[in-house]
Amino acid sequence: MPLRVPPAPAPALRSVLTALSSPTAVREARTPALLGTQGPATPELPLPVHVLDRVTTEGAAATRLAGWRFHIRLGDRAVAAAETMLTPDGWAFSHFFEGPYVASTERALRQAESVPQTYQPRLLSVPELYMLTLWLHGDCTADAAAGHPAATDLLVPLAPAPPGIPAHRPHRVAELLPVLTHRLTPTRLLGSPA
């Protein structure tokens, strides 16, 4: 079934379009794929980027919206991404980047197209584990800027994934969250007071 990609805030998209048309912003990005462009680069596939702040003892995930990410397409492929962030003055361009998460996100989205249920795609970052997942939210009508992962939502770890967590294998939140909780829980040092 098709994914229902949420619309990005118009100011976020405008900030990326402005950055793409700025030779200075593109040059300072040190993104070789954008520096050597032949033809127009277009921002597509806006995905809200949520950050996993903590996992409660009950297994619920507390998240917050950190920005919107756009894939920058040249011709038929994504060559980079642009990230925006919310500032006190509204949405603003943050930076361009390229690397494995761009291709990995595209691959995960193609995989998700073959899932029988319709989902709203989002990105979920787990900074403490240097982990990024494609979050397939089951409520397609939900505000993409809000909400927390539901137990039945799917998380698809993107490559490179942390050791022991296979990339591109969909997991229900209820299955993956306990693994993340275990990894995020600091272990006591031997001999330290209880």
Side-chain angles (χ1 to χ4, degrees):
M1 296 205 113
L3 296 173
R4 297 235 176 108
V5 178
L13 176 58
R14 277 194 304 272
S15 73
V16 171
L17 289 169
T18 300
L20 276 171
S21 66
S22 165
T24 304
V26 171
R27 187 175 51 256
E28 289 179 358
R30 293 182 182 88
T31 308
L34 290 178
L35 288 173
T37 60
Q38 300 293 325
T42 57
E44 295 181 354
L45 197 64
L47 295 174
V49 180
H50 293 261
V51 175
L52 181 68
D53 283 328
R54 70 182 189 286
V55 180
T56 67
T57 54
E58 296 81 31
T63 63
R64 64 180 163 79
L65 180 67
W68 282 81
R69 183 172 295 175
F70 297 79
H71 280 203
I72 306 300
R73 190 165 297 281
L74 284 172
D76 63 345
R77 66 185 191 96
V79 296
E83 194 131 329
T84 63
M85 62 183 179
L86 191 56
T87 69
D89 295 326
W91 288 101
F93 171 75
S94 174
H95 62 280
F96 290 115
F97 66 94
E98 57 186 62
Y101 284 132
V102 175
S104 188
T105 302
E106 293 252 310
R107 177 180 170 190
L109 287 165
R110 281 192 306 273
Q111 284 178 289
E113 288 284 344
S114 65
V115 175
Q117 182 177 341
T118 302
Y119 288 100
Q120 181 189 81
R122 304 171 174 197
L123 294 171
L124 181 65
S125 173
V126 186
E128 291 85 359
L129 297 177
Y130 301 100
M131 180 179 183
L132 185 65
T133 68
L134 176 64
W135 168 15
L136 299 173
H137 190 52
D139 183 358
C140 295
T141 62
D143 177 1
H148 303 289
T152 56
D153 287 353
L154 294 177
L155 295 176
V156 182
L158 301 178
I165 298 176
H168 296 287
R169 182 173 165 248
H171 301 270
R172 294 249 177 246
V173 167
E175 297 165 359
L176 188 57
L177 214 50
V179 173
L180 300 181
T181 303
H182 175 72
R183 293 203 178 187
L184 292 172
T185 304
T187 56
R188 278 188 230 262
L189 296 174
L190 291 176
S192 65

